Amino acid sequence: MTKNFVIVGGGQAAAQAIQTLQQNKYEGSITLVGEEIYPPYQRPPLSKKYMAGELQRERLFLRPLKFYESNNIDLELGTRAIELDLGNSHVRLNNDRLLKFNGLMLATGSKVRRLKVPGSDLDGIHYVRTLADVDEILPKLKKAKKLVIIGAGYIGLEVAAVSISSGLDVIVLEATERVMSRTVSTEVSNFYSRCHSKAGVNLKYSTTVSHFEGNKKVTTVETADGQKLACDLVVVGIGIEPEVELAETAGLPCKDGIIVDEFACTEGQNIFAAGDCTNHPNQLLSKRIRLESVQNAIDQAKAGIQTFLGEKTPYKTVPWFWSDQYDLKLQIAGLSEGYDQIVVRGDPKKAPFAVFYIRDGRIVTVEAVNLPQAFMIGKQLISTGIKVELKKLVDLKFDLKDLIKR
């Protein structure tokens, strides 16, 4: 059988799959199929430093094009995989090319959740997911005066921070009662609300959009409670959905993502999946979850390739995330479920501070704002499951490093 490992996708998981194959001296050929015209690149900076003009385009790419050329890696860019044949071990592309494989990594990632209300197809309404998305937004941001952002999650708030710092009039509409409500504690949420309000961002809670108005181009956002908000640009950030169409059509089990085990294996022989598109067993929560995390994509891809090469290593890394807004770095480790109390180190009204989620005397999650030591040590303690004295977590005179020395 032809020794060709095929990777479908062009993000962190795809780049890591290539790296792990090379590190283990895989002797077959490698083909990467990506819908975008670019080789694998970093997505997190798109709504942060790249949008702010602080990061050059070249630095987004995980490897330069010459790397793929010099290592004989076949790039099928600007191409979509449209059919996966499990029985015959091949992938059909929309350019009619048929790729035989002896191993396949589905790193298809995710797609933005679209806002489906009247007027949502007007010009000037944008989403932030790809490099092309941001490249389309940037020139309009420079000309815009009034920006409406729909959704106060990471993407929405990161775009708000960049835009308000550039002098725009920024309104953020959030359907729930606080910012980042699905991902952070009330303490962290309230802190970021104050920071954005102080910077001049107008935050509107419990607010949803009924429709957009404009003649070809959006000029007004009307909310469900009747507010009419003038704008010349809209950015929507209401979440993402796993890209599972190729796997699902092929008959691979999918439920909020492609179903994989702890080794990133799907039910297809020598077919693996990694990243945002997967639903996997999580050791911390003892249940299946889907993670939207760079580290998840990297570690899961590594586990899948090692399994393919005969060295089964389960994926069981503590999940972690981050967000950059203004001069603030929010770092989160763990998953905030099943806790019985929360303790705070420092003053949650000003940075730096950290919030620890506790269950049975053990840390299950840490949220750190400009406090990297609390994040790193908290992450280690989540992994080890060591019980901690809560009074030491809140005592600013106590060195947190002493918690792990023993």
Side-chain angles (χ1 to χ4, degrees):
M1 181 181 180
T2 303
K3 291 188 70 174
N4 180 33
F5 196 95
V6 174
I7 302 161
V8 180
Q12 297 274 177
Q16 183 60 53
I18 290 172
Q19 182 177 325
T20 307
L21 284 166
Q22 289 196 313
Q23 286 174 340
N24 287 274
K25 296 180 171 52
Y26 174 64
E27 295 178 353
S29 58
I30 301 172
T31 304
L32 183 143
V33 180
E35 283 193 60
E36 296 182 60
I37 61 174
Y38 308 106
Y41 63 88
Q42 306 172 71
R43 293 187 191 275
L46 292 178
S47 56
K48 307 177 182 75
K49 290 188 175 183
Y50 183 70
M51 184 172 281
E54 299 172 5
L55 186 71
Q56 296 301 310
R57 171 193 291 265
E58 292 72 25
R59 293 183 59 194
L60 289 173
F61 298 108
L62 295 162
R63 297 277 192 173
L65 271 174
K66 62 181 180 182
F67 163 81
Y68 301 96
E69 294 168 0
S70 60
N71 286 278
N72 296 316
I73 296 168
D74 181 17
L75 294 181
E76 284 281 352
L77 301 178
T79 307
R80 183 176 179 83
I82 58 173
E83 181 189 1
L84 168 58
D85 187 325
L86 302 180
N88 294 303
S89 298
H90 70 237
V91 176
R92 187 181 300 279
L93 310 184
N94 63 352
N95 60 7
D96 287 333
R97 187 178 177 192
L98 199 66
L99 300 176
K100 294 286 289 182
F101 62 81
N102 68 316
L104 174 72
M105 172 70 72
L106 295 171
T108 48
S110 53
K111 55 189 176 184
V112 294
R113 184 174 288 116
R114 298 274 169 177
L115 189 59
K116 298 176 182 178
V117 298
S120 58
D121 57 346
L122 288 169
D123 185 32
I125 300 173
H126 295 272
Y127 296 80
V128 177
R129 185 62 186 160
T130 68
L131 179 52
D133 290 338
V134 180
D135 281 347
E136 188 178 357
I137 292 171
L138 283 174
K140 296 181 181 181
L141 269 180
K142 292 176 182 178
K143 296 178 181 178
K145 293 182 179 179
K146 294 181 180 293
L147 168 67
V148 173
I149 297 171
I150 301 168
Y154 293 151
I155 293 292
L157 294 183
E158 288 165 1
V159 173
V162 170
S163 302
I164 200 74
S165 300
S166 300
L168 276 74
D169 180 355
V170 180
I171 298 175
V172 177
L173 309 182
E174 169 55 38
T176 68
E177 296 180 351
R178 59 187 179 91
V179 303
M180 300 184 288
S181 61
R182 288 174 288 274
T183 53
V184 302
S185 63
T186 302
E187 289 81 358
V188 170
S189 182
N190 290 342
F191 171 78
Y192 275 88
S193 294
R194 288 190 295 269
C195 289
H196 281 280
S197 296
K198 185 177 179 180
V201 176
N202 184 354
L203 295 163
K204 294 180 178 290
Y205 302 108
S206 302
T207 304
T208 57
V209 175
S210 65
H211 65 276
F212 298 102
E213 295 178 355
N215 182 14
K216 294 186 179 179
K217 182 181 182 300
V218 67
T219 57
T220 307
V221 178
E222 182 156 343
T223 65
D225 58 4
Q227 299 178 67
K228 291 198 172 193
L229 307 172
C231 65
D232 33 35
L233 192 64
V234 173
V235 172
V236 181
I238 55 173
I240 57 178
E241 299 172 340
E243 183 60 79
V244 300
E245 184 180 355
L246 183 65
E248 200 166 44
T249 304
L252 292 174
C254 298
K255 185 177 182 181
D256 187 30
I258 303 167
I259 300 296
V260 296
D261 63 15
E262 67 271 32
F263 302 103
C265 301
T266 71
E267 286 196 1
Q269 185 175 4
N270 285 336
I271 298 177
F272 309 88
D276 292 1
C277 64
T278 65
N279 182 307
H280 66 276
N282 180 268
Q283 62 165 351
L284 295 177
L285 300 179
S286 299
K287 69 175 187 178
R288 302 192 70 88
I289 62 169
R290 186 174 65 82
L291 283 177
E292 299 163 10
S293 157
V294 169
Q295 197 59 41
N296 172 61
I298 291 171
D299 291 341
Q300 211 171 33
K302 190 182 298 184
I305 297 300
Q306 288 175 333
T307 299
F308 169 70
L309 296 173
E311 185 182 337
K312 298 186 77 171
T313 305
Y315 163 59
K316 53 181 181 180
T317 309
V318 174
W320 62 272
F321 318 84
W322 83 95
S323 177
D324 294 325
Q325 300 169 41
Y326 307 109
D327 59 348
L328 304 167
K329 180 172 283 291
L330 169 63
Q331 295 172 290
I332 302 172
L335 297 165
S336 53
E337 293 185 31
Y339 59 93
D340 49 46
Q341 66 182 117
I342 285 178
V343 297
V344 180
R345 182 178 180 85
D347 184 353
K349 292 182 179 179
K350 61 182 181 181
F353 72 95
V355 177
F356 295 92
Y357 295 65
I358 310 297
R359 180 175 63 236
D360 298 329
R362 295 176 174 84
I363 299 172
V364 294
T365 309
V366 57
E367 301 166 349
V369 179
N370 285 5
L371 201 58
Q373 185 194 58
F375 165 73
M376 292 301 296
I377 291 171
K379 185 168 175 282
Q380 290 183 55
L381 291 171
I382 293 168
S383 179
T384 59
I386 296 172
K387 281 196 172 186
V388 296
E389 294 182 55
L390 302 191
K391 64 180 181 181
K392 291 182 177 179
L393 290 179
V394 301
D395 183 359
L396 296 179
K397 295 180 181 178
F398 177 77
D399 190 341
L400 290 177
K401 288 186 289 187
D402 289 342
L403 291 173
I404 57 175
K405 284 180 180 178
R406 62 192 178 92

